[in-house]
């Protein structure tokens, strides 16, 4: 398959930023910050972006551009060209370490997966890591689409003027927030209502890959994404002028030492990879379309800055309101669905702004989910072709689509409780031990974002930093003919030492092997 190239750096940066900016920034970042100590989380997050996220992002883009293969062949090829025979045993050992860590948490399903990893990594090397990335991407899509479905429902509510429940009309924002929170809890507790939003979101994602509406949505997203930033500013303007908003700003921006724990660092780290779309094949795939004339450092820098700005702006939009209306910052995944209706309710033309906001968030989420599904599909397409079956794009997309939909149903039917699937609930609790979080959506998110993504990112950093080595890889960071010295050298140091050691230390502290 010949790979097309991005025609311009700007095109590449916008496409990568489009896949990076999504629900992770606007839905997940605020509630993770709220649950993990506010300013402390934000500070750790920004440091992790700079010292761990960006170096890994450059590494992934490099792997993609150098090999121009799908993730599985790309990982295998880098391993081969680095001529390292020991690398796969390091990977295998890491996997064994993960198995031990999961065993201490009594998470038996992850233990089994990690043990299978020990064997497969030793036998087949880094191409197995490519499979892991692909599977993680599809797993993430399965619940990402459920949140996307919530957004679809909130667009509907805004359009029909029922975003703020009837009873709350004309009362103070504090009351509105309480009713919105209860309404949200009631909504996720009725899976049949969640199901239609999930269906719409998956259908749009699938249609974008198969139905030729992709170009249209991408053109639209070029206009709507900047507008999303503008609208965030509008919401911020309203949110910070609510009485009592100052406390929220302080919560978000003032770190405290008390709140600092290894768990906060693990959560921040997982969020960095989730938000920058790292460790799940996407950046490698995007990099494989990147032209030699493009400067990878610059592209990664831009994506990192845009993505982090989006997250911080979302935080600034949410927390002043959360404090002003007396919600708890640690309300969990429902945080923005409690706070935002209260903000919009106090705005002139509130339902209109609400509909616009949720619509743009929907578009941002769709550009991300398409990236997720496409990566899975690319792998299946190239695999099907190799097996001499006439693999078509349609079959591949449908396989990925069906897998995600089936997995997503588990999240849909368990978000409030497992009442609809009691057996599965008990099984999930028994299999996931301390990783279990009450429902499948949060449990899978916890496992995928906080454990799998740091693991795949760590392995990628080790592969590039130690097997391929920055000496061979770094010159490719620059565009042909450019000659900067300092930055590639700095990248080499970060990817070889800082990122892997940082991630390893976090794993060791969180699983209790090192004490703080
Ligand atoms: N980075 C996206 C976000 O922040 C989520 C995502 C994850 C998108 C993985 C693509 C791949 O919402």
């Amino acid at each position: 398959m010949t790979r097309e190239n991005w025609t311009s750096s700007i095109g590449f940066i916008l496409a990568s930023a489009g896949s990076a900016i999504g629900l992770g920034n606007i839905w997940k970042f605020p509630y993770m910050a709220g649950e993990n100590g506010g300013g402390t989380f934000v500070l750790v997050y920004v440091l992790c972006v700079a010292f761990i996220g960006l170096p890994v992002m450059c590494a992934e883009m490099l792997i993609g551009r150098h090999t121009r293969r799908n993730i599985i062949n790309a990982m295998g090829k880098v391993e081969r060209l680095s001529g390292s025979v020991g690398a796969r045993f390091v990977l295998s050992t890491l996997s064994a370490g993960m198995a031990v860590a999961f065993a201490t948490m009594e998470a038996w399903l992850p233990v089994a997966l990690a043990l299978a990893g020990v064997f497969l990594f030793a036998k087949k090397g880094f191409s197995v890591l490519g499979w892991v990335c692909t599977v993680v991407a599809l797993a993430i899509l399965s619940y990402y689409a459920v949140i996307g479905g919530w957004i679809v429902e909130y667009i509907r509510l805004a359009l029909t003027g029922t975003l703020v429940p009837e009873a709350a009309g004309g009362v103070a924002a504090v009351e509105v927030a309480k009713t919105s929170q209860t309404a949200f809890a009631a909504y996720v507790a009725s899976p049949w209502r969640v199901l239609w939003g999930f269906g719409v979101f998956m259908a749009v994602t699938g249609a974008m890959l198969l139905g030729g509406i992709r170009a249209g949505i991408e053109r639209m997203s070029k206009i709507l994404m900047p507008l999303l930033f503008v609208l965030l500013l509008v919401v911020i303007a309203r949110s910070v002028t609510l009485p009592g908003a100052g406390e929220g700003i302080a919560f978000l921006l003032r770190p405290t030492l008390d709140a600092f724990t290894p768990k906060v660092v693990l959560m921040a780290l997982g969020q960095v990879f989730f938000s920058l779309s790292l460790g799940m094949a996407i950046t490698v795939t995007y990099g494989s379309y990147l032209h030699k004339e493009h400067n990878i450092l610059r592209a990664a820098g831009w994506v990192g800055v845009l993505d982090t700005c989006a997250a911080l702006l979302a935080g600034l939009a949410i927390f002043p309101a959360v404090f002003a209306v007396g919600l708890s910052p640690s309300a969990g995944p429902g945080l923005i669905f409690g706070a935002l209706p209260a903000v919009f309710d106090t705005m002139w033309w509130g339902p209109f702004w609400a509909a616009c906001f949720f619509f743009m968030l929907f578009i941002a989420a769709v550009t991300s989910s398409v990236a997720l599904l496409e990566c899975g599909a690319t792998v299946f397409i190239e695999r099907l072709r190799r097996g001499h079956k006439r693999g078509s794009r349609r079959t591949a997309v449908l396989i990925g689509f069906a897998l995600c939909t089936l997995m997503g149903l588990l999240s849909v039917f368990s978000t409030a409780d497992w009442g609809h699937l009691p057996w599965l609930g008990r099984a999930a609790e028994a299999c996931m031990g301390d990783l279990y979080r009450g429902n499948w959506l949060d449990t899978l998110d916890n496992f995928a974002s906080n454990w799998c993504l740091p693991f795949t990112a760590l392995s990628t950093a080790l592969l590039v930093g130690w097997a391929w080595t920055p000496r061979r890889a770094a010159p490719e960071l620059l565009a042909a003919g450019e000659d900067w010295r300092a930055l590639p050298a700095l990248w080499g140091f970060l990817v070889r030492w800082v990122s892997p050691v940082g991630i390893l230390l976090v794993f060791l502290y969180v699983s209790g092997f090192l004490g703080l």
Side-chain angles (χ1 to χ4, degrees):
M1 186 165 93
T2 57
R3 287 184 174 260
E4 308 155 37
N5 280 319
W6 301 101
T7 41
S8 67
S9 286
I10 299 288
F12 176 74
I13 290 169
L14 285 181
S16 304
S19 107
I21 297 175
L23 296 172
N25 308 64
I26 289 162
W27 156 74
K28 197 170 173 201
F29 178 83
Y31 95 76
M32 293 291 281
E35 278 182 344
N36 294 291
T40 311
F41 178 89
V42 173
L43 178 67
V44 174
Y45 178 85
V46 172
L47 292 175
C48 287
V49 168
F51 294 107
I52 299 181
L54 287 180
V56 171
M57 183 183 281
C58 293
E60 292 200 1
M61 288 180 180
L62 268 180
I63 294 179
R65 185 169 75 178
H66 186 85
T67 59
R68 311 202 142 238
R69 307 274 162 94
N70 73 44
I71 175 92
I72 293 165
N73 300 343
M75 290 289 186
K77 185 168 175 192
V78 174
E79 184 185 7
R80 256 174 285 122
L81 70 88
S82 69
S84 161
V85 280
R88 62 178 56 187
F89 297 106
V90 174
L91 192 56
S92 215
T93 314
L94 260 182
S95 196
M98 298 296 284
V100 175
F102 289 137
T104 63
M105 293 184 274
E106 298 182 12
W108 304 116
L109 182 65
V111 168
L113 295 174
L115 288 179
V118 174
F119 172 72
L120 289 170
F121 288 133
K123 188 150 183 281
K124 304 227 159 180
F126 276 79
S127 53
V128 178
L129 187 64
W131 277 111
V132 176
C133 293
T134 312
V135 173
V136 173
L138 292 178
I140 288 184
L141 176 57
S142 80
Y143 65 82
Y144 199 80
V146 178
I147 320 291
W150 297 352
I151 304 289
V152 173
E153 171 74 5
Y154 273 69
I155 298 177
R156 186 184 74 78
L157 293 178
L159 286 178
T160 54
T162 43
L163 186 61
V164 173
E166 277 298 314
V171 295
V174 179
E175 289 305 312
V176 178
K178 280 214 192 82
T179 351
S180 312
Q181 209 175 25
T182 326
F184 175 75
Y187 164 61
V188 292
S190 35
W192 300 106
R193 266 178 79 199
V194 177
L195 194 59
W196 88 269
F198 171 69
V200 170
F201 191 88
M202 281 306 288
V204 172
T205 305
M208 265 189 79
L209 280 172
L210 289 180
I213 58 169
R214 180 160 191 178
I217 294 211
E218 274 174 1
R219 229 172 296 131
M220 198 155 75
S221 85
K222 282 204 187 113
I223 305 166
L224 290 185
M225 293 293 271
L227 274 182
L228 180 64
F229 274 85
V230 174
L231 213 57
L232 272 175
L233 292 177
V234 173
V235 178
I236 291 174
R238 173 66 275 211
S239 179
V240 297
T241 49
L242 288 170
E247 222 179 309
I249 303 180
F251 175 79
L252 186 71
L253 299 181
R254 194 174 302 149
T256 54
L257 206 54
D258 299 346
F260 183 85
T261 60
K263 181 176 157 254
V264 168
V265 187
L266 181 76
M267 298 293 146
L269 202 57
Q271 174 62 14
V272 166
F273 298 129
F274 185 92
S275 191
L276 295 177
S277 308
L278 297 177
M280 45 196 140
I282 287 176
T283 306
V284 174
T285 311
Y286 274 43
S288 72
Y289 302 110
L290 191 60
H291 207 273
K292 290 271 183 242
E293 263 107 69
H294 297 152
N295 178 320
I296 287 184
L297 287 172
R298 191 178 299 137
W302 269 109
V303 175
V305 167
L306 288 174
D307 189 73
T308 308
C309 284
L312 293 177
L313 289 179
L316 273 179
I318 304 294
F319 281 105
V322 165
F323 279 79
V325 300
L327 289 177
S328 156
S330 53
L335 186 68
I336 68 164
F337 298 98
L340 282 176
V343 179
F344 289 123
D345 190 54
T346 57
M347 272 163 86
W348 183 65
W349 273 36
F352 168 77
W353 293 115
C356 292
F357 184 84
F358 285 116
F359 182 67
M360 285 170 204
L361 191 51
F362 173 75
I363 297 292
V366 167
T367 51
S368 297
S369 64
V370 165
L372 281 170
L373 184 55
E374 174 147 55
C375 288
T378 321
V379 167
F380 288 126
I381 295 168
E382 295 185 7
R383 287 277 135 169
L384 287 173
R385 289 223 170 109
R386 218 182 61 156
H388 300 294
K389 282 179 236 143
R390 297 226 11 229
S392 71
R393 183 177 165 78
R394 184 168 293 269
T395 324
V397 172
L398 286 176
I399 296 175
F401 184 84
L403 288 177
C404 288
T405 310
L406 284 178
M407 246 196 297
L409 289 179
L410 268 186
S411 294
V412 170
F413 281 91
S414 79
T415 317
D417 61 47
W418 288 89
H420 295 269
L421 311 160
W423 281 101
L424 277 174
R426 251 165 274 148
E429 194 169 353
C431 290
M432 301 302 283
D434 293 350
L435 295 179
Y436 185 71
R437 287 280 183 278
N439 62 54
W440 185 244
L441 194 155
D442 289 346
T443 306
L444 185 59
D445 183 30
N446 183 26
F447 177 51
S449 316
N450 300 331
W451 294 90
C452 299
L453 295 183
F455 172 78
T456 49
L458 168 63
S459 313
T460 311
L462 289 175
L463 175 67
V464 174
W466 292 90
W468 194 7
T469 68
R471 192 173 50 78
R472 284 185 281 181
E476 294 194 34
L477 284 173
L478 303 176
E482 276 177 334
D483 186 25
W484 305 346
R485 291 273 158 72
L487 275 180
L490 175 66
W491 169 78
F493 175 72
L494 291 175
V495 82
R496 205 171 152 103
W497 293 104
V498 180
S499 316
V501 172
I503 301 174
L504 259 182
L505 283 180
V506 176
F507 273 152
L508 290 175
Y509 278 117
V510 174
S511 39
F513 292 110
L514 288 179
L516 199 64

